[in-house]
Amino acid sequence: MAELGADRVRVHQVVWPGTHDSATNKIGVPLVTRPFAQCQSMSVYEQLSMGTRVIDVRVQEERRVCHGILATYPVDVVLDDVRRFLGETESEVLILEVRTEFGHEDPPEFDKFLVDKLGEENLIPQDEAVFHKTIAELLPRRVICVWKPRKSPAPKPGGPLWSAGYLKDNWIDTDLPETKFESNLKFLGQQPPVADRRFFYRVENTVTPKADNPVLCVWPVTKRIHGYARLFIAEAFAKGLGDKLQVFSTDFIDGDFVDACAGVTKARVDGTAA
């Protein structure tokens, strides 16, 4: 965002590179349970430094990051990584999604905990006008924090946290890359263009191990679709959906994925996107 010019880039123009289950780099026991739950090999700080701008974190009742039944480090580690990144940059805005994992209870008073840990001075208040503002108009606040509890009250308009409806997706649980690829295109086509949208819409370039398949480790399964991110972007533009792509997420993010998203953002800002 800094390289493209904070005064030129509007929030709705960004194709936000995201990670799926972002804080699973140290989950489980190495070589035992970790391969079944690990979706990223880098820390959240390393992902942000590479260019990731949407972080997806699941928590349980004890404020620990988890993926299903496996728990890892306290969510404080993630929030400290975010604060460290903010301290080292000046005009990078990010989306931090925190949700209570399925099968778990909300951590007590977690909304207050998030605001205290991130610092209200860094949080962009929930306001639909944000989508058409430039990055410069948001500064010095730089975090859109979406809190998705299971039972606790949802964040309110004007408050420091954003409610679940502002980050949507159409997740399908499959280990078949063609099925996921086509489903992603179908649901993307049903969305309004980013210029008319008042929420973030996520497409996840991932597939998931299934119990009826002999391969249950994450990486051997998700790599089936991992290399097709640029093809998906090209196909979206070929089908006239390029103006609908917004949040694009992956397992095991790499620099090429970030560059692909940044390239579309630059084209939008420059007015050259097809």
Side-chain angles (χ1 to χ4, degrees), residues 26 33 41 59 62 74 87 104 115 120 162 166 247 262-263:
K26 292 185 178 181
T33 56
S41 57
V59 296
E62 296 176 350
H104 292 277
V115 174
E120 190 160 358
W162 293 61
Y166 285 104
V247 176

Side-chain angles (χ1 to χ4, degrees), residues 48 140 152 184 226 235:
L48 292 170
S152 302
N184 282 343
H226 190 267
E235 191 71 5

Side-chain angles (χ1 to χ4, degrees), residues 5-259:
D7 58 340
R8 298 178 63 223
V9 181
R10 296 192 180 275
V11 171
H12 74 272
Q13 294 176 306
V14 178
V15 176
W16 302 75
T19 49
H20 167 243
D21 268 306
S22 306
T24 54
N25 57 310
K26 292 185 178 181
I27 199 164
V29 179
L31 303 178
V32 181
T33 56
R34 184 170 297 173
F36 300 102
Q38 183 184 40
C39 297
Q40 306 297 331
S41 57
M42 292 183 286
S43 69
V44 166
Y45 171 76
E46 290 168 333
Q47 293 170 43
L48 292 170
S49 297
M50 174 179 282
T52 301
R53 292 296 176 267
V54 180
I55 298 296
D56 157 31
V57 179
R58 292 80 180 299
V59 296
Q60 41 89 294
E61 43 281 322
E62 296 176 350
R63 294 181 181 168
R64 301 187 77 84
V65 175
C66 62
H67 186 185
I69 62 172
L70 292 179
T72 180
Y73 42 67
V75 72
D76 304 61
V77 173
V78 174
L79 305 180
D80 288 345
D81 276 1
V82 170
R83 290 293 298 259
R84 178 183 174 189
F85 177 75
L86 294 177
E88 294 176 358
T89 56
E90 295 181 356
S91 55
E92 300 298 321
V93 171
L94 62 101
I95 301 170
L96 172 63
E97 177 196 27
V98 186
R99 72 176 91 169
T100 302
E101 179 69 301
F102 181 78
H104 292 277
E105 297 297 323
D106 299 327
E109 299 187 331
F110 195 67
D111 51 351
K112 297 177 182 177
F113 172 79
L114 281 173
V115 174
D116 288 344
K117 286 290 290 184
L118 291 168
E120 190 160 358
E121 70 278 5
N122 293 315
L123 293 168
I124 298 167
Q126 183 184 145
D127 178 4
E128 292 185 357
V130 162
F131 292 94
H132 280 271
K133 289 185 176 181
T134 64
I135 299 300
E137 289 175 310
L138 300 180
L139 300 177
R141 300 174 186 265
R142 293 195 283 140
V143 181
I144 295 172
C145 184
V146 181
W147 164 225
K148 297 182 175 182
R150 297 189 64 79
K151 296 179 182 178
S152 302
K156 296 180 180 179
L161 305 178
W162 293 61
S163 56
Y166 285 104
L167 179 54
K168 302 179 182 180
D169 55 44
N170 290 100
W171 172 265
I172 68 163
D173 194 11
T174 180
D175 61 355
L176 302 175
E178 184 176 2
T179 299
K180 187 63 174 285
F181 193 99
E182 294 300 327
S183 173
N184 282 343
L185 284 172
K186 178 185 123 178
F187 286 117
L188 181 63
Q190 296 172 1
Q191 307 308 313
V194 292
D196 300 331
R197 199 181 293 162
R198 296 299 181 271
F199 59 89
F200 296 100
Y201 183 76
R202 172 170 52 203
V203 172
E204 298 197 271
N205 190 60
T206 62
V207 287
T208 309
K210 303 298 295 176
D212 60 355
N213 190 297
V215 181
L216 296 176
C217 298
V218 174
W219 170 241
V221 174
T222 201
K223 77 175 182 179
R224 298 171 186 168
I225 198 171
H226 190 267
Y228 293 100
R230 285 185 180 269
L231 177 63
F232 182 85
I233 293 173
E235 191 71 5
F237 274 89
K239 292 182 177 296
L241 309 178
D243 64 342
K244 300 185 177 190
L245 191 62
Q246 191 171 37
V247 176
F248 197 31
S249 292
T250 187
D251 291 324
F252 300 100
I253 197 165
D254 55 31
D256 186 69
F257 187 91
V258 172
D259 288 346

